[in-house]
Amino acid sequence: MRKIIHCGTLFSGAGTVAEASQSAVIEHGHFTYVGPRENAPVAGPGDIQYDYTDHFVMPGLSDLHVHLSYGNALGQEDIDLYASMEYRALRALAAAQRMLQSGYTALADPASAGGISAAVRDAQFVGMFPGPRITASGPAITSRLGLYDFYPSPIGVPAQSSGTLVKSLPEAIEEIRKQTKDGVDIIKIAMDGIYGNREQGLFAAFDQAETTAMVREAKRIGRKVAVHARGREGALYAARAGVDIIFHASRIDDEGIRAAKDNGCHICPSLMLLVNNIEFSQPDDPSASWWPDIQRQEFAAARRNLRRAYEAGVPLLVGSETGFAVSPYGEWAAKELQIMTEYLGIGTGEVLRMATCANRAMLRDGSQYDTIAPGKRADFIVVKGNPLQNIGVLQDRRNIVQVWMDGAQVQMPDLPAEIPRHQRELAQGMWSRLYTREAVAGLKLQSLTQYDGPSFSIDDQFPEASL
Ligand SMILES: [Zn+2]
């Protein structure tokens, strides 16, 4: 039995243009014919035909920067501390399915708490649950000066953080071997420090020799290496060491760009989080007084430097940094494509090629499903509207008419946009200001006795007990 797909417009992902009046034939989950409709095999008895002649057919979208274990976090503590690993794993499955419903048939999770993204990957791989193809990392490797070591030193990096602290190069090498044994596809290194000075910006979390040694070991045992590096120094060390992906690279300079080009590094800008942090900021956000301006500065630098890197021939990839409260699963990922066309000046067809074919070269078994072509696995989406004319159509889930994976239509109940939070996730600060006598003088005091809230069961006394 063959499935014959008739497409109004077909974008294969191999180039930057689409063809009209194409058909594709699927057998045993793989394409066996892709080309003009008039040359397509004629449907025989038992074959099923699908009429997408009013639609745009393209490879499923892929996103290299989705943090499945973050749970649409409201802040760093929310990522690191409160939800149990078991609850996070189940939540990560729902997150992955939200991405699939939005047209993402493949994604990478760079920096996952414990083995969560690998576990969700494996459960989906053996067919327990529908979901996108996942390329997994473990916790990001960091130093005493790096991201994820946010807390006072006596506390350190919590065991359930999406980062893991190494205190020496031998510990870093040991961690790379352990993660590889535990089944990660990508080693993630937090190259940005959290300290710096005005002249140089952030100091890198690792020096050049450490970076080079970690990358060499990861590659020796067949892992890809991705780094988080917004700062100039971190991006430079990573580029010299020949990592596969530099996330952000907002302040990469000419030396870094040259090293990235010479050593075959890719840059994944991940600008959506920056843009949303600015555009969605509200006066009552705890970070409102300082965060948006820092993001504006970085966005200005990133536009300039990433455009230069692109012009110099450094290949770019597409990742949104989904998983925070400003970038919930399945809501804004495709906005990254629009940002890359609008603010980096990259052509729509080129961005679409990056978000499909180029991204997949970085993903686990990506060459099996990177384009729509004979021999490839049939992962594709059917879109209402033409993303080459208006890349914004991909952001509206209602335009993703059908998702196909392995030659089958994906069927899933519609998940809510909000992934439920557990009541015990008491992550955030309780108050937004200091209630001095002066501050309270202008407030209307609330009733001590009137009670309209939800009634807690005896098992849910934790909130009260904690005070
Ligand atoms: Zn990230």
Side-chain angles (χ1 to χ4, degrees):
M1 188 264 285
R2 298 180 299 184
K3 293 174 183 172
I4 304 178
I5 313 289
H6 300 299
C7 319
T9 311
L10 178 76
F11 179 84
S12 75
T16 58
V17 295
E19 306 283 345
S21 303
Q22 302 285 296
S23 291
V25 178
I26 301 169
E27 287 173 79
H28 306 295
H30 292 72
F31 292 113
T32 52
Y33 171 85
V34 178
R37 188 163 313 139
E38 64 264 26
N39 302 338
V42 179
D47 291 345
I48 308 176
Q49 302 193 70
Y50 296 84
D51 180 4
Y52 295 134
T53 50
D54 289 337
H55 293 101
F56 187 96
V57 174
M58 59 177 280
L61 289 161
S62 59
D63 190 318
L64 296 190
H65 205 159
V66 178
H67 293 295
L68 292 174
S69 65
Y70 285 18
N72 295 338
L74 295 163
Q76 193 61 40
E77 291 180 18
D78 206 9
I79 297 173
D80 290 341
L81 299 180
Y82 296 102
S84 72
M85 292 296 241
E86 295 79 5
Y87 188 72
R88 287 185 214 199
L90 295 166
R91 198 174 59 184
L93 177 62
Q97 293 185 335
R98 269 292 284 178
M99 293 299 292
L100 180 60
Q101 285 181 330
S102 309
Y104 283 80
T105 58
L107 60 85
D109 178 351
S112 167
I116 286 173
S117 66
V120 176
R121 175 198 68 196
D122 294 346
Q124 287 169 177
F125 182 77
V126 298
M128 275 195 253
F129 308 100
R133 299 181 196 281
I134 292 173
T135 299
S137 83
I141 296 173
T142 193
S143 81
R144 273 294 188 202
L145 287 178
L147 284 185
Y148 303 97
D149 190 17
F150 294 119
Y151 304 98
S153 296
I155 296 174
V157 179
Q160 67 274 39
S161 164
S162 46
T164 185
L165 178 67
V166 295
K167 293 176 187 157
S168 64
L169 181 57
E171 275 190 29
I173 300 293
E174 156 80 10
E175 178 65 24
I176 288 166
R177 292 172 182 163
K178 177 182 154 294
Q179 290 191 8
T180 302
K181 176 194 167 195
D182 292 345
V184 307
D185 305 297
I186 293 178
I187 298 295
K188 174 83 182 289
I189 302 171
M191 281 305 297
D192 273 342
I194 48 178
Y195 295 96
N197 64 24
R198 232 171 250 291
E199 293 73 52
Q200 295 190 44
L202 293 172
F203 302 133
F206 296 98
D207 67 19
Q208 183 67 67
E210 290 166 332
T211 309
T212 303
M214 286 189 286
V215 174
R216 193 192 305 126
E217 179 61 8
K219 295 215 162 189
R220 184 182 73 80
I221 49 184
R223 298 307 92 188
K224 287 209 159 56
V225 183
V227 302
H228 168 108
R230 297 183 184 278
R232 184 200 72 85
E233 194 180 52
L236 175 63
Y237 292 171
R240 282 184 186 149
V243 303
D244 297 286
I245 306 170
I246 304 174
F247 285 111
H248 310 297
S250 310
R251 292 196 163 82
I252 195 167
D253 63 3
D254 286 339
E255 199 183 358
I257 289 172
R258 219 174 305 120
K261 181 150 191 279
D262 290 349
N263 296 324
C265 309
H266 299 70
I267 292 177
C268 184
S270 305
L271 295 168
M272 180 270 276
L273 184 67
L274 279 178
V275 170
N276 284 8
N277 274 332
I278 299 164
E279 289 185 342
F280 300 166
S281 177
Q282 296 298 307
D284 59 349
D285 287 341
S287 60
S289 65
W290 55 280
W291 186 231
D293 277 342
I294 287 183
Q295 301 288 281
R296 283 187 189 97
Q297 285 171 24
E298 182 174 338
F299 185 55
R303 283 180 70 177
R304 208 170 44 239
N305 296 328
L306 295 174
R307 177 70 207 178
R308 279 223 314 282
Y310 177 66
E311 284 170 1
V314 179
L316 302 189
L317 300 169
V318 185
S320 63
E321 187 117 43
T322 283
F324 296 90
V326 285
S327 58
Y329 305 107
E331 294 287 298
W332 300 105
K335 186 176 173 183
E336 183 71 17
L337 281 69
Q338 185 172 356
I339 292 169
M340 290 176 78
T341 59
E342 209 169 313
Y343 297 105
L344 299 183
I346 304 172
T348 307
E350 178 61 5
V351 168
L352 219 50
R353 187 194 66 79
M354 290 171 180
T356 53
C357 180
N359 266 8
R360 277 149 207 258
M362 287 293 146
L363 296 176
R364 184 184 171 96
D365 299 329
S367 62
Q368 296 178 10
Y369 54 91
D370 52 354
T371 58
I372 295 180
K376 303 287 184 182
R377 290 177 176 274
D379 290 6
F380 61 96
I381 56 175
V382 180
V383 180
K384 191 166 84 187
N386 186 331
L388 288 173
Q389 286 159 12
N390 174 12
I391 199 138
V393 301
L394 294 171
Q395 293 179 48
D396 186 343
R397 246 186 331 277
R398 288 167 302 186
N399 293 328
I400 311 299
V401 174
Q402 184 66 56
V403 178
W404 287 69
M405 285 188 71
D406 272 332
Q409 290 172 296
V410 173
Q411 311 288 0
M412 250 195 296
D414 204 15
L415 295 164
E418 224 173 300
I419 292 182
R421 302 178 73 76
H422 195 283
Q423 196 190 329
R424 288 194 175 80
E425 291 182 64
L426 283 177
Q428 302 315 306
M430 307 282 284
W431 304 281
S432 57
R433 58 178 66 80
L434 193 65
Y435 293 92
T436 59
R437 298 191 66 79
E438 197 183 344
V440 169
L443 289 182
K444 179 184 175 297
L445 300 182
Q446 305 293 329
S447 164
L448 283 177
T449 51
Q450 192 189 328
Y451 182 70
D452 303 319
S455 53
F456 298 110
S457 81
I458 199 76
D459 291 333
D460 293 329
Q461 290 303 307
F462 186 61
E464 201 176 336
S466 74
L467 297 176

